[in-house]
Amino acid sequence: MALIGPSLMCADMGNLQDSVLTLDQAGVDFFHIDVMDGKFVPNFTLGPDLIKRLREFTEKSFDIHLMVEKPEDFLNLFIESGADMISVHAEATNHLQRTLQTIKDRGLKAGVAINPATSIQDIEYVLDVVDYITVMTVNPGFAGQKFVPLMNKKLADLTYLINENGYKIDIQVDGNIGYETIPDVLKNGANMLVCGTSSLFKPNLSLELAVSKLRNFIE
Ligand code: DX5
Ligand code: ZN
């Protein structure tokens, strides 16, 4: 069964505590928290102090998506803020294997994220240390962008690569995941849906209703 993970950068910034409480109550599976440094991507979003504060309002997994240069320099900061899972970009570090191993050694789930143009061959030799792979289905940095069509082929190729090697790795999709794109990404092997403006955070739709609509749609 696919997991639903609200992307909190799309939530009401003036009402984050209530949004987290409501989403938790509505039955989401994890919270996707985007961190940006203005260098790896041309934007800034949520930081460790906010994450630490939000940690008080839910037991559900915090999936920290580090869209930052040299993520290895910031692991401690986010582990101490309450992360349960951390994904780092293959494109953002010279030491991907060591960074992923460090996350795992600290007892968290380790994820590797790849931008649309990045090949799955670039992460082939870390498949034994990752718990999940975040396939960026938009170019990272902003919500509300358009799904990159070739990403369905990438998902199918990645699913094949994982199965052929007998790994147990979750495939997370991140960007423009909504009613038009979900059927194909599920068919091609995704099982963790990062849900933002295309599915959960819509004007005039309550979070409770958005979650139950989405749950019914994917089941
Ligand atoms: C983009 C972020 C996504 C984004 C998803 O860089 O990683 O999590 O917030 O937002 P939508 O669903 O609107 O594309
Ligand atoms: Zn993200």
Side-chain angles (χ1 to χ4, degrees):
M1 185 54 62
L3 301 180
I4 294 175
S7 177
L8 286 183
M9 75 175 269
C10 303
D12 173 1
M13 289 295 121
N15 213 354
L16 269 177
Q17 174 180 334
D18 289 348
S19 300
V20 168
L21 289 167
T22 304
L23 288 163
D24 182 325
Q25 280 298 314
V28 299
D29 300 294
F30 65 95
F31 287 96
H32 183 81
I33 299 174
D34 291 306
V35 176
M36 301 180 186
D37 65 357
K39 286 188 277 191
F40 183 70
V41 291
N43 198 0
F44 295 84
T45 46
L46 310 170
D49 290 345
L50 180 62
I51 294 166
K52 197 178 285 180
R53 187 78 175 91
L54 295 177
R55 184 70 279 178
E56 298 166 33
F57 305 118
T58 179
E59 300 288 312
K60 296 205 171 147
S61 275
F62 276 4
D63 160 35
I64 309 294
H65 177 192
L66 291 183
M67 286 167 274
V68 303
E69 294 290 348
K70 292 189 71 194
E72 58 270 29
D73 293 352
F74 304 100
L75 296 181
N76 252 351
L77 201 53
F78 289 96
I79 292 170
E80 280 156 22
S81 73
D84 300 286
M85 317 162 51
I86 296 180
S87 65
V88 299
H89 271 264
E91 308 90 351
T93 174
N94 295 326
H95 304 289
L96 180 60
Q97 205 282 345
R98 181 166 64 198
T99 303
L100 292 165
Q101 190 59 61
T102 304
I103 296 169
K104 284 192 79 69
D105 292 348
R106 296 289 299 271
L108 284 80
K109 283 194 171 180
V112 58
I114 47 176
N115 287 336
T118 302
S119 158
I120 58 174
Q121 273 63 42
D122 290 340
I123 56 171
E124 192 166 353
Y125 299 109
V126 294
L127 292 182
D128 61 336
V129 286
V130 292
D131 299 290
Y132 65 112
I133 296 168
T134 300
V135 174
M136 291 306 298
T137 41
V138 298
N139 288 296
F142 298 91
Q145 300 182 90
K146 275 283 153 250
F147 188 96
V148 177
L150 262 183
M151 293 305 100
N152 274 310
K153 177 174 176 354
K154 183 189 278 191
L155 285 166
D157 294 345
L158 179 60
T159 300
Y160 178 78
L161 179 67
I162 290 169
N163 293 340
E164 183 199 13
N165 290 283
Y167 289 117
K168 279 233 24 72
I169 301 173
D170 290 319
I171 299 180
Q172 181 181 88
V173 283
D174 186 8
N176 194 209
I177 298 304
Y179 291 92
E180 296 74 43
T181 54
I182 285 173
D184 283 342
V185 299
L186 292 180
K187 189 175 70 191
N188 288 303
N191 68 336
M192 291 180 73
L193 306 176
V194 174
C195 303
T197 61
S198 316
S199 46
L200 284 188
F201 301 97
K202 290 172 163 296
N204 314 319
L205 180 64
S206 75
L207 289 177
E208 296 92 332
L209 197 54
V211 172
S212 76
K213 258 184 76 182
L214 188 58
R215 185 69 74 191
N216 292 334
F217 182 71
I218 64 178
E219 269 169 7

